[in-house]
Amino acid sequence: MDVFSDPLNREVYLTGFLWILKLTLAGGVGALVLGVLLAAMRVSPVPVLRAFGTAWVNIFRNTPLTLIIFFCYFGLFSTLGVSFSDDIDLNNFWLGVTGLSVYTAAFVCEAIRSGINTVPAGQAEAARAIGMTFRQTLTMIILPQAGRAVIAPLGSIIIALCKNATIVGTIGLMESSNAMKELINANGDAVVPIFLVFAGTFAIVLIPTGYAFGWLANRLAVKR
């Protein structure tokens, strides 16, 4: 296409998707770590931890992601002075990762908790009977089986995270949605081709990702 024959336009396009991939990777890691901790809290024998985990999930699952991203920028950065870097793009990137992580962690938590519920209760009881602590039971017996049971749901969450990452553009990061907007503003007669390229790129990345997670889920499924 004529639009993407220009090296500058190609650079805008590639840079936008590179930011999306970075947001997805960093946000996914943060959400997974936080989500596992929240899931552990939700099944903890300590009432305070269960209450905290439940409150986190209910609050963040029912709050629009746009509001969370805005809070990270206008609340944490602009008002409270929380800064991750002097570079504005890098700072906006980490603010976006923070918002994506705390939001997505709520969904990861519920997916993992559903996996924990698939593990027979007798296994936890047997672990307690031989003197294993709650932490040992959770990390050595429950979570390994729960993780294998929720690979497909986690894949869906990662795919949603990749698409949600475009919202970070609202705080100024030049990711794919802002890149598409810039190219459309500069090439108004090529709106449809520009849209098709950006939409097609997401499809090329995410459709095989969905199949890969589905294959992995079947490959590692717990046989009962």
Side-chain angles (χ1 to χ4, degrees):
M1 299 179 184
D2 291 341
V3 174
F4 295 97
S5 62
D6 186 332
L8 294 178
N9 289 342
R10 286 201 303 271
E11 182 179 356
V12 170
Y13 159 75
L14 292 174
T15 300
F17 269 100
L18 184 59
W19 279 120
I20 288 292
L21 294 177
K22 290 178 178 179
L23 285 166
T24 303
L25 179 60
V29 171
L32 183 61
V33 172
L34 186 54
V36 170
L37 292 175
L38 290 169
M41 290 180 184
R42 294 214 63 185
V43 298
S44 169
V46 181
V48 173
L49 294 180
R50 289 201 306 271
F52 179 84
T54 301
W56 184 291
V57 170
N58 288 335
I59 290 171
F60 285 101
R61 279 205 312 175
N62 294 288
T63 301
L65 178 57
T66 304
L67 295 185
I68 296 173
I69 297 296
F70 277 5
F71 172 79
C72 289
Y73 186 83
F74 295 106
L76 295 182
F77 175 59
S78 298
T79 304
L80 300 179
V82 176
S83 178
F84 295 97
S85 173
D86 292 332
D87 182 271
I88 187 63
D89 282 336
L90 196 57
N91 186 60
N92 289 344
F93 167 77
W94 286 113
L95 289 171
V97 168
T98 301
L100 290 171
S101 296
V102 299
Y103 175 80
T104 309
F107 296 90
V108 172
C109 169
E110 289 302 275
I112 293 176
R113 191 169 71 95
S114 69
I116 291 174
N117 290 335
T118 66
V119 180
Q123 296 195 25
E125 293 170 359
R128 287 195 296 269
I130 62 174
M132 296 181 71
T133 64
F134 171 75
R135 182 181 63 81
Q136 290 173 328
T137 302
L138 190 66
T139 58
M140 298 174 63
I141 296 176
I142 305 300
L143 284 180
Q145 296 181 72
R148 295 172 66 178
V150 298
I151 291 175
L154 288 179
S156 297
I157 291 171
I158 293 299
I159 289 172
L161 170 62
C162 184
K163 293 183 288 186
N164 287 340
T166 58
I167 296 178
V168 180
T170 58
I171 61 174
L173 187 66
M174 186 55 70
E175 44 64 62
S176 60
S177 64
N178 274 347
M180 185 176 78
K181 177 183 176 182
E182 181 175 306
L183 291 179
I184 289 176
N185 287 339
N187 304 272
D189 57 340
V191 173
V192 173
I194 292 172
F195 167 77
L196 291 177
V197 168
F198 277 86
T201 303
F202 271 103
I204 289 170
V205 172
L206 297 182
I207 291 176
T209 300
Y211 281 115
F213 273 101
W215 174 85
L216 190 61
N218 292 330
R219 183 77 173 79
L220 299 179
V222 178
K223 307 300 181 182
R224 302 194 187 282

